[in-house]
C-alpha cells in the first residue's frame, strides 16, 4: 500500500509594509502675491489674460472707429460731414427741399464725398513718379486706412466702388461715375442713387431735420424741414467767419475742412445763400474774398506743404 503524507505549512504572517521615506504632504506653493496658492495663482493668471484680451479688443475697436477732426463748436447735433453741411446750406428752412432749379448740388455732393474720404485719410492720389503730372490727371487710390469702414453708409459705398476698380479713375471721372453720367453701360453700377434723400435722412437721424409730406398738385413729395435751426446757424457762421473775421490771406493756412466747405458750397450753388443776411458792404467783401479763392491755381496750391492733393484735385474738377 502506498501511503501519502500530507504536509502542512504554518500560516503565513500578515504582510508587513515598509516605508523607505515618511509620507510628506506637499506644501502649498506660493507665488509672488503672498498668501496665494498655486490654484489661486492660476485663476489670477487667467483673469489677467482675459483682462488683457479685453483691453486689446477695446483697442482694436477704437482703432477701427473712424473719428474725423472737426470743430463742431459744442453742437448738440454732433459732427456733420461735408455732404451734410452743403445740403443743409442749400435746403429751404420751412419747405424742406432744395431749389428745383439747382442742378449743381447733385455732382457737388459727390465731390464732397471724395473730399470727406480724403480728409479722413482714406483715399489719396497715385504717386507722380519721375514725371510730374497735374492733380487732375492722377488717379485716386485707396490708402491702407481706407480698408476700414467709416460708419457712414454713403462713404462706405463710395469706398467699396473705389476699391473694386482696377485700374483706378481720376477725380473728374469718379464724380461722373458716381453721378451716373457715363455712356459706358458697364460702369452704371458705380452710380450712387438717391444721394440727396439719403444725406437728408442722416440729418433727420441727428435731429437737424424733420420729415413731412408736401403735395405738389400732381404728386406728393417727402420733404425735410428744419427741426432746429441752431445747427444751420453754426454752419452759416462758419462760412461767414472764414471769409470775414477769420480770413487768411493764404489758402494753405486755412482749415482744410472749412476751405473745402467754401469750395463745395460754391460748386453746389448754395454759397451766396449764406451771405444773404449780410449788409451790402460786408456782402461785397465776402464775395470778393470768395473770388480770390476761385482764382487760385489748384495745381500750385497742391504743391504747398501739408496740402491735401485729393482735395485740390476735386476743386480743380469743379473750376474747369
Amino acid at each position: 500500500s502506498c501511503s501519502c503524507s500530507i504536509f502542512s505549512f504554518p500560516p503565513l504572517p500578515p504582510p508587513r509594509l515598509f516605508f523607505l521615506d515618511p509620507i510628506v504632504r506637499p506644501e502649498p506653493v506660493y507665488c509672488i502675491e503672498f498668501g496665494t496658492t498655486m490654484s489661486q495663482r492660476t485663476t489670477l493668471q487667467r483673469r489677467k489674460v482675459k483682462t488683457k484680451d479685453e483691453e486689446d479688443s477695446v483697442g482694436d475697436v477704437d482703432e477701427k472707429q473712424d473719428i474725423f477732426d472737426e470743430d463742431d463748436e459744442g453742437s448738440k447735433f454732433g459732427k456733420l460731414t461735408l455732404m451734410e453741411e452743403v445740403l443743409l446750406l442749400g435746403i429751404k428752412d420751412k419747405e424742406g427741399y432744395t431749389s428745383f432749379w439747382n442742378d449743381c448740388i447733385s455732382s457737388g455732393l459727390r465731390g464732397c464725398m471724395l473730399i470727406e474720404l480724403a480728409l479722413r485719410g482714406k483715399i489719396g492720389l497715385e504717386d507722380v513718379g519721375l514725371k510730374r503730372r497735374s492733380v487732375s490727371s492722377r488717379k485716386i487710390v485707396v490708402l491702407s486706412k481706407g480698408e476700414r469702414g467709416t460708419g457712414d453708409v454713403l462713404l462706405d459705398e463710395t469706398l467699396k466702388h473705389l476699391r473694386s476698380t482696377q485700374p483706378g479713375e481720376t477725380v473728374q471721372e469718379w464724380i461722373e461715375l458716381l453721378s451716373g453720367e457715363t455712356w459706358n453701360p458697364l460702369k452704371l453700377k458705380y452710380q450712387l442713387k438717391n444721394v440727396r434723400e439719403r444725406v437728408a435722412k442722416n440729418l433727420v437721424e441727428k435731429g437737424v431735420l424733420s420729415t413731412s409730406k408736401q403735395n405738389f398738385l400732381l404728386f406728393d413729395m417727402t420733404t425735410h424741414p428744419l427741426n432746429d435751426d441752431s445747427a444751420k446757424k453754426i454752419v452759416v457762421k462758419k462760412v461767414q467767419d472764414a471769409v470775414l473775421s477769420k480770413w487768411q490771406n493764404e489758402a494753405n493756412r486755412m482749415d482744410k475742412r472749412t476751405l473745402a466747405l467754401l469750395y463745395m458750397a460754391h460748386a453746389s450753388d448754395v454759397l451766396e445763400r449764406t451771405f444773404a443776411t449780410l449788409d451790402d458792404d460786408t456782402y461785397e467783401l465776402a464775395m470778393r474774398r470768395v473770388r480770390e479763392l476761385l482764382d487760385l491755381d489748384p495745381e500750385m496750391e497742391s504743391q504747398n506743404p501739408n496740402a491735401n492733393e485729393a482735395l485740390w484735385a476735386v476743386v480743380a474738377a469743379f473750376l474747369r
Side-chain angles (χ1 to χ4, degrees):
S1 64
C2 176
S3 63
C4 297
S5 62
I6 301 175
F7 298 95
S8 61
F9 297 95
L12 296 175
R16 300 176 62 184
L17 299 179
F18 298 92
F19 300 96
L20 299 177
D21 296 313
I23 299 177
V24 180
R25 290 181 178 273
E27 292 293 329
V29 180
Y30 293 85
C31 64
I32 297 176
E33 294 90 347
F34 297 102
T36 305
T37 62
M38 176 66 78
S39 60
Q40 291 173 330
R41 183 180 64 174
T42 306
T43 305
L44 284 174
Q45 287 176 338
R46 287 198 299 265
R47 288 177 181 174
K48 289 180 180 179
V49 172
K50 183 178 180 181
T51 304
K52 186 177 185 303
D53 293 340
E54 290 174 352
E55 291 176 353
D56 292 342
S57 64
V58 171
D60 294 339
V61 172
D62 292 338
E63 185 181 359
K64 293 180 181 179
Q65 288 178 346
D66 181 66
I67 301 176
F68 57 98
D69 184 19
E70 179 185 357
D71 183 11
D72 60 1
E73 301 184 18
S75 172
K76 63 181 179 181
F77 304 103
K79 298 176 181 178
L80 302 182
T81 63
L82 192 59
M83 306 90 70
E84 293 167 350
E85 289 181 326
V86 169
L87 182 65
L88 193 57
L89 291 177
I91 209 163
K92 298 181 179 180
D93 296 357
K94 296 181 179 179
E95 293 83 353
Y97 54 85
T98 56
S99 174
F100 292 118
W101 309 109
N102 188 343
D103 57 352
C104 302
I105 196 168
S106 178
S107 59
L109 290 176
R110 270 75 174 182
C112 288
M113 294 177 194
L114 296 179
I115 293 181
E116 185 71 42
L117 291 173
L119 293 178
R120 300 191 188 197
K122 303 290 186 181
I123 63 173
L125 299 182
E126 62 181 348
D127 295 333
V128 294
L130 298 178
K131 185 178 180 181
R132 183 71 185 178
R133 290 186 296 164
S134 65
V135 290
S136 301
S137 62
R138 292 160 61 186
K139 301 181 185 299
I140 291 180
V141 294
V142 178
L143 305 177
S144 58
K145 193 176 179 181
E147 299 301 324
R148 299 192 300 271
T150 64
D152 185 285
V153 177
L154 272 173
L155 294 179
D156 288 342
E157 187 176 345
T158 305
L159 263 180
K160 180 181 177 182
H161 291 326
L162 295 174
R163 283 196 298 260
S164 63
T165 307
Q166 294 294 335
E169 308 282 354
T170 63
V171 168
Q172 179 67 46
E173 292 168 341
W174 267 120
I175 292 175
E176 294 174 355
L177 291 176
L178 296 175
S179 303
E181 300 173 1
T182 177
W183 293 100
N184 188 343
L186 299 178
K187 294 187 176 182
L188 287 175
K189 61 182 180 180
Y190 298 125
Q191 180 183 6
L192 297 177
K193 299 180 180 180
N194 304 321
V195 170
R196 209 175 309 189
E197 178 66 20
R198 292 163 73 180
V199 175
K201 286 184 177 180
N202 288 344
L203 290 171
V204 171
E205 293 177 358
K206 293 181 178 181
V208 179
L209 301 180
S210 59
T211 302
S212 63
K213 290 280 187 180
Q214 188 166 345
N215 182 270
F216 287 91
L217 188 61
L218 298 178
F219 61 93
D220 291 336
M221 186 177 75
T222 302
T223 59
H224 300 284
L226 277 181
N227 184 48
D228 190 330
D229 62 351
S230 59
K232 185 169 184 176
K233 287 180 179 178
I234 291 175
V235 180
V236 170
K237 186 177 186 301
K238 181 193 296 186
V239 174
Q240 292 178 354
D241 288 347
V243 293
L244 294 173
S245 62
K246 297 181 180 179
W247 170 252
Q248 301 288 338
N249 290 323
E250 298 179 6
N252 64 325
R253 296 174 58 187
M254 296 180 64
D255 174 68
K256 291 183 177 63
R257 184 169 289 275
T258 304
L259 181 66
L261 177 59
L262 288 170
Y263 275 113
M264 299 317 299
H266 176 268
S268 303
D269 197 19
V270 298
L271 182 59
E272 290 190 26
R273 292 171 54 89
T274 63
F275 302 143
T277 59
L278 302 177
D279 59 74
D280 293 343
D281 293 338
T282 310
Y283 176 85
E284 288 298 328
L285 176 61
M287 291 305 300
R288 183 170 70 250
R289 288 173 173 172
V290 169
R291 286 191 292 271
E292 290 180 19
L293 291 176
L294 299 178
D295 291 338
L296 294 176
D297 182 6
E299 182 63 34
M300 297 297 296
E301 295 298 324
S302 66
Q303 300 177 17
N304 288 324
N306 301 322
N308 190 303
E309 293 181 324
L311 186 157
W312 287 108
V314 175
V315 171
F318 284 98
L319 291 183
R320 283 184 174 182

